[in-house]
Amino acid sequence: MTKIVSLHDFEGPIFDDVATVGLLGNTMHYCSYNKLQDEKQPFYKYLRNYPEVFLIQDIPATRDSMRTVSANELFLPVHDSAFKKLASIWREKGLSEAIRFAAAANPREITSGIHWIATKLMKALDLMDRGIYYRDLLPTSGDGSVADIATTRDWNISLVRCMSWHPYCYRLAVATRDDRIRIYSPVSNNVDWMSLMLPIPILRHSEQKSICCLSWRPYSGRELAVACYYGVLVWTIELGAASNLLSHALLLKQRNHAPVTSVTWHPQGDLLASCSPTDLSIMIWDVSKEEGVPLRRVGGGGICFTRWSPCGSQLFSASCGNVFRVWNTGVPTPWHADKWTVPSGRVAVACFGPNLTLLFATTEDPATIFSLPLRDNIFDDKKANNNDVKIAMRLIDLTKVNFASDDNDDYVTAGGRIVSMEWNSTGRYLAIIFQDSPVIALFKTSINTISRIVEVQPSCLIKGFPGEVPNCINFYQKDTLCICLTIAWSSGRVQHFPIVEDHDKLYSVTSVYGNKRIV
């Protein structure tokens, strides 16, 4: 029986005016604010080529450094008659879309009789589509709101609302409260001084409001999907001073599919999944054709977020109720959903790791992280055997723990309800943000390739400077030596936190203060 790890197993953070800046060879390193750019610091050499992100609290008043356009603005419009457009839509998208086009058209162009019939039919289609689960408006705060669903702490007031590292390129996208996305690229050692003078690309669009999620397209270094209030924006980004004006966005919209709170690309980069808490369906988009196919199942309410497995054979979807599903996207039963339920609340966070292992936690306070090994034959009862693990196992107990200072004059709380959870691509580290804690809990993990049981060990608690709380996180790994956890703090500071396990190389360049900490 695997031991259930708890936050009691962690060593408490120090209480000086310093922040945790790196985990090097199982040694936590701390640094004061005025020494973050000191090249003599042992952690600094691992961050030399990472992009520096500077954000200020009055960022909504900043001036754009890049003009962006919609994809439709790049082409001249074609003026066809209303009936020709109606016939084309009927042929390409079906009767329901043709009815909606006729209802939105000018009555003088398609005759008042056809317009009246189309309007009545459209209302009937809306009533049928909404059903008893559809909600016209989401609450602005509390349970079920966008801020409650988003995997960002204090999403309403956070300066950084979400961020995403490209899985294969050294490129970081950061979405801020002013509904703009900034693209940061690392600085190379042999870069010329003219390149350093180029402005940071900023993506802005009239439909880009209330950004909740960013997802880079695999095997394409310039395409970024954005989940926002009106739908899904797919950006094609051109970097460089001469090509900034060529960046453009494609808006993917579907009726009753807004606001979109999650977008994620298939690992092969050919399909894009999006979801909305007001829609029972997951939309699977073929971006090249600008077409979406709905995946719909009754029960559980709208969909909060989705996650692809690293191999692309399974798609996880969390509903606004206590139901979550795992879709089998492969053969022999393509797009078959296996339904699961949680005792209370809803699934708040979920991560796929290697070997089709799923970690998830609910909205309960305190939270518990469960491990669910998903075998290839879990969806086929005929192939199942008694050795298959088909139950979720308790892995980590996140009951709140108070860590007091040496003189007991101050304390730091860790644990409670989870807001965000990230698992690095190799399944070696798990990072967790809590709703009411100023620290990030970092666990070291490993997966048994035979039993697929996840083994967990406490690593460290990552704290910021006084007054800072973490808002969102994202892992990046450019080589086998260093894993980077990028953290957006409430102050606007974006930190790259290096995790290095090569103990022998480190002690040639560092001095040890005690056994665990270097300040």
Side-chain angles (χ1 to χ4, degrees):
M1 186 69 180
T2 305
K3 176 190 174 184
I4 299 176
V5 179
S6 73
L7 296 173
H8 289 280
D9 300 324
F10 279 87
E11 181 182 352
I14 62 175
F15 287 81
D16 298 334
D17 293 339
V18 293
T20 317
V21 292
L23 180 63
L24 311 180
N26 295 322
T27 302
M28 291 182 291
H29 287 245
Y30 294 82
C31 182
S32 60
Y33 187 84
N34 58 0
K35 292 185 178 180
L36 287 176
Q37 302 301 321
D38 186 355
E39 296 187 6
K40 296 180 181 180
Q41 293 291 328
F43 68 89
Y44 189 86
K45 69 175 183 176
Y46 297 102
L47 305 178
R48 284 195 179 98
N49 295 331
Y50 281 87
E52 296 182 3
V53 182
F54 295 100
L55 299 172
I56 55 177
Q57 289 294 340
D58 58 345
I59 200 169
T62 58
R63 180 178 179 270
D64 288 346
S65 63
M66 172 177 170
R67 181 183 179 271
T68 53
V69 296
S70 171
N72 294 330
E73 298 178 20
L74 301 177
F75 304 94
L76 294 176
V78 178
H79 299 285
D80 291 328
S81 66
F83 284 104
K84 188 174 181 179
K85 292 180 180 178
L86 182 63
S88 176
I89 292 174
W90 192 339
R91 183 176 61 254
E92 295 178 1
K93 298 185 177 181
L95 178 61
S96 62
E97 291 301 321
I99 292 174
R100 295 183 182 279
F101 172 80
N106 191 328
R108 290 178 294 181
E109 295 181 358
I110 60 171
T111 73
S112 58
I114 294 178
H115 183 268
W116 183 85
I117 294 173
T119 302
K120 299 301 181 182
L121 290 175
M122 186 187 69
K123 291 181 179 179
L125 288 173
D126 282 340
L127 289 175
M128 294 172 60
D129 190 69
R130 289 175 182 176
I132 61 175
Y133 297 104
Y134 180 77
R135 293 176 293 174
D136 287 301
L137 295 174
L138 288 178
T140 56
S141 61
D143 293 342
S145 65
V146 174
D148 178 61
I149 293 170
T151 56
T152 299
R153 176 173 172 172
D154 303 326
W155 180 85
N156 279 326
I157 60 174
S158 174
L159 185 61
V160 177
R161 287 196 160 169
C162 55
M163 58 186 178
S164 176
W165 276 105
H166 194 287
Y168 306 119
C169 301
Y170 301 160
R171 195 164 294 162
L172 175 66
V174 178
T176 49
R177 195 175 59 233
D178 58 356
D179 296 319
R180 300 172 189 178
I181 301 171
R182 290 158 174 81
I183 308 298
Y184 296 89
S185 298
V187 178
S188 176
N189 291 331
N190 57 356
V191 71
D192 58 277
W193 68 272
M194 288 294 293
S195 300
L196 297 175
M197 301 300 292
L198 295 178
I200 296 171
I202 298 178
L203 309 180
R204 186 171 68 102
H205 194 280
S206 59
E207 305 289 334
Q208 189 169 275
K209 306 293 183 183
S210 301
I211 302 171
C212 286
C213 181
L214 302 173
S215 180
W216 286 99
R217 187 171 191 171
Y219 305 110
S220 173
R222 302 182 298 114
E223 292 187 66
L224 177 70
V226 183
C228 49
Y229 188 85
Y230 295 104
V232 179
L233 280 169
V234 180
W235 283 96
T236 300
I237 305 167
E238 295 292 342
L239 301 176
S243 56
N244 281 350
L245 294 179
L246 299 180
S247 293
H248 62 274
L250 172 68
L251 179 62
L252 304 175
K253 296 177 65 174
Q254 187 74 12
R255 53 190 170 85
N256 299 336
H257 192 73
V260 175
T261 52
S262 176
V263 287
T264 178
W265 288 97
H266 187 278
Q268 295 299 321
D270 53 345
L271 299 175
L272 177 67
S274 69
C275 63
S276 171
T278 63
D279 192 357
L280 296 175
S281 302
I282 304 171
M283 291 302 301
I284 305 297
W285 298 95
D286 186 335
V287 177
S288 62
K289 297 180 180 179
E290 301 181 30
E291 294 178 352
V293 176
L295 299 178
R296 184 166 186 166
R297 289 292 184 274
V298 177
I303 310 299
C304 294
F305 67 90
T306 59
R307 296 288 185 271
W308 287 101
S309 64
C311 61
S313 65
Q314 295 178 356
L315 176 66
F316 174 92
S317 64
S319 72
C320 294
N322 66 338
V323 174
F324 71 91
R325 293 179 173 87
V326 181
W327 293 79
N328 180 18
T329 65
V331 293
T333 54
W335 299 106
H336 170 75
D338 196 14
K339 180 180 177 181
W340 304 74
T341 58
V342 295
S344 61
R346 62 171 176 84
V347 175
V349 290
C351 299
F352 270 110
N355 300 328
L356 291 176
T357 301
L358 176 70
L359 299 185
F360 69 92
T362 65
T363 54
E364 290 182 309
D365 186 0
T368 300
I369 295 178
F370 294 90
S371 171
L372 182 61
L374 298 173
R375 295 181 182 271
D376 292 336
N377 62 3
I378 193 171
F379 302 104
D380 191 347
D381 293 335
K382 295 180 181 180
K383 295 182 180 180
N385 56 63
N386 295 330
N387 294 326
D388 287 338
V389 180
K390 295 187 177 182
I391 60 173
M393 296 174 290
R394 297 177 72 241
L395 190 66
I396 305 174
D397 178 14
L398 297 175
T399 302
K400 290 183 179 179
V401 176
N402 292 330
F403 295 95
S405 60
D406 294 337
D407 54 8
N408 292 323
D409 288 340
D410 196 6
Y411 69 92
V412 170
T413 301
R417 178 177 171 176
I418 292 181
V419 174
S420 179
M421 180 171 69
E422 291 283 331
W423 205 2
N424 86 303
S425 58
T426 58
R428 291 159 59 188
Y429 286 93
L430 181 73
I432 299 172
I433 292 179
F434 305 98
Q435 180 62 49
D436 301 310
S437 174
V439 297
I440 299 170
L442 185 68
F443 294 88
K444 189 173 182 179
T445 60
S446 61
I447 303 175
N448 190 303
T449 56
I450 299 177
S451 64
R452 300 193 182 185
I453 294 177
V454 181
E455 298 178 357
V456 181
Q457 297 176 353
S459 181
C460 69
L461 297 176
I462 304 173
K463 66 179 286 286
F465 292 108
E468 289 184 332
V469 297
N471 290 129
C472 55
I473 50 178
N474 195 229
F475 272 110
Y476 180 70
Q477 186 169 356
K478 67 177 181 179
D479 52 46
T480 58
L481 179 64
C482 179
I483 300 171
C484 177
L485 176 64
T486 298
I487 308 165
W489 297 92
S490 57
S491 63
R493 182 173 67 95
V494 176
Q495 174 188 4
H496 303 301
F497 184 89
I499 305 170
V500 184
E501 296 179 341
D502 196 330
H503 183 77
D504 295 333
K505 290 184 178 180
L506 291 171
Y507 273 84
S508 64
V509 294
T510 59
S511 58
V512 179
Y513 176 78
N515 293 325
K516 290 290 183 181
R517 298 165 179 164
I518 296 179
V519 181

